[in-house]
Amino acid sequence: MRQAYLSIGSNIDRDRNIRSAMAELRTRWPDMVFSTVYETAAVGFEGEDFYNLVASFRAEEPLENVLDTLRELEDAHGRHRAGEKFSARTLDLDLLLWGDAVLEGDPVTLPRDEILRFDFVLRPLAELAPEARHPVNGECFRDLWAGFTGNPSIRRSVPLAD
């Protein structure tokens, strides 16, 4: 069994898509825990603000099954995969951590580099797992957040009940 963390984001019908994703994820993994939801500026393109959060759950199934489930959920929410890497999203689900696994390439690279690059990933991750350690550099997420010097994109926390 692995402790998994994923980032969740949407900037198209974001309230509905985030609420729906949270409900469906909790149905799939009943022990799912969610961070605070943050409203953030679009990064890498001009667009509507996002809602972003991080979720944690214990997975018994293989990594590939989890990735398939996340992709199916994105697709069910109208995710379009063609186009620019940085663009508007109905739903974006990215596996950030799979226990302490360090994987390169196919089917996924873990831990995701976004953890160290974006406040909208690191802040909610540090909220959920302050004492957990980054599998590569060994630093705890609380300390990584305290020392974060990247570009700020978080505008405010959003009182979105799951």
Side-chain angles (χ1 to χ4, degrees), residues 124-138:
L125 180 59
E127 176 187 322
L128 284 185
E131 300 302 320
R133 298 194 172 273
H134 191 283
V136 174
N137 69 24

Side-chain angles (χ1 to χ4, degrees), residues 20-148:
S20 174
M22 291 169 79
E24 291 183 44
L25 288 165
R26 184 161 281 143
T27 297
R28 179 67 181 88
W29 294 287
D31 71 327
M32 182 77 59
V33 177
F34 300 102
S35 73
T36 301
V37 177
Y38 295 95
E39 183 178 65
T40 65
V43 174
F45 71 102
E46 293 293 323
E48 298 296 318
D49 287 350
F50 278 78
Y51 280 175
N52 286 289
L53 66 152
V54 167
S56 172
F57 63 100
R58 297 198 52 82
E60 294 182 17
E61 62 268 58
L63 174 61
E64 291 76 16
N65 292 13
V66 171
L67 294 172
D68 288 344
T69 298
L70 298 178
R71 187 175 182 94
E72 289 166 8
L73 187 54
E74 287 177 332
D75 291 346
H77 283 79
R79 170 75 183 265
H80 297 287
R81 298 185 192 285
E84 301 292 319
K85 177 179 178 177
F86 293 105
S87 62
R89 300 272 193 263
T90 54
L91 186 63
D92 191 22
L93 301 172
D94 291 322
L95 191 63
L96 300 171
L97 296 165
W98 183 250
D100 60 358
V102 177
L103 305 171
E104 288 286 330
D106 196 25
V108 66
T109 297
L110 295 171
R112 293 285 294 230
D113 69 341
E114 289 90 339
I115 293 170
L116 301 177
R117 290 179 40 219
F118 299 124
D119 61 347
F120 61 84
V121 177
L122 183 55
R123 182 175 178 178
L125 180 59
E127 176 187 322
L128 284 185
E131 300 302 320
R133 298 194 172 273
H134 191 283
V136 174
N137 69 24
E139 292 184 61
C140 70
F141 293 115
R142 178 194 63 242
D143 292 345
L144 287 168
W145 174 241
F148 183 76

